[in-house]
Amino acid sequence: MKQDSKMIESDFPKSIGKPATRALHGAGYTQLEELTTIREKEILSLHGFGPKALGILREALKEKGLSFKS
């Protein structure tokens, strides 16, 4: 049976899209807080991840008082 990203508990906004979510899960990230350890440039290098998803995540992090690594 194929594993689906729905089986992974994650707090990423659904609005980033399935390809971006799969890219994050494939890179080992499942929680917004984990994204504070990487730079935006690194996340954009993931296959399936684009500027729109980055903006959505940036806002989601900001709402929690967090940000990508600078």
Side-chain angles (χ1 to χ4, degrees):
M1 185 174 206
K2 183 180 169 190
Q3 275 205 337
D4 193 317
S5 60
K6 293 177 186 171
M7 298 174 82
I8 299 173
E9 294 238 358
S10 172
D11 65 349
F12 299 138
K14 298 208 182 317
S15 56
I16 66 170
K18 290 181 182 181
T21 301
R22 282 192 300 267
L24 290 168
H25 290 170
Y29 301 105
T30 59
Q31 303 297 313
L32 278 171
E33 192 171 304
E34 295 171 331
L35 301 180
T36 63
T37 65
I38 60 171
R39 292 181 169 81
E40 290 184 9
K41 182 179 176 182
E42 294 172 79
I43 204 166
L44 281 172
S45 71
L46 298 175
H47 180 73
F49 205 94
K52 181 180 175 184
L54 179 65
I56 293 168
L57 284 181
R58 191 184 296 126
E59 284 301 311
L61 285 167
K62 187 177 175 183
E63 288 175 14
K64 292 188 171 209
L66 303 170
S67 65
F68 288 103
K69 185 176 178 181
S70 49

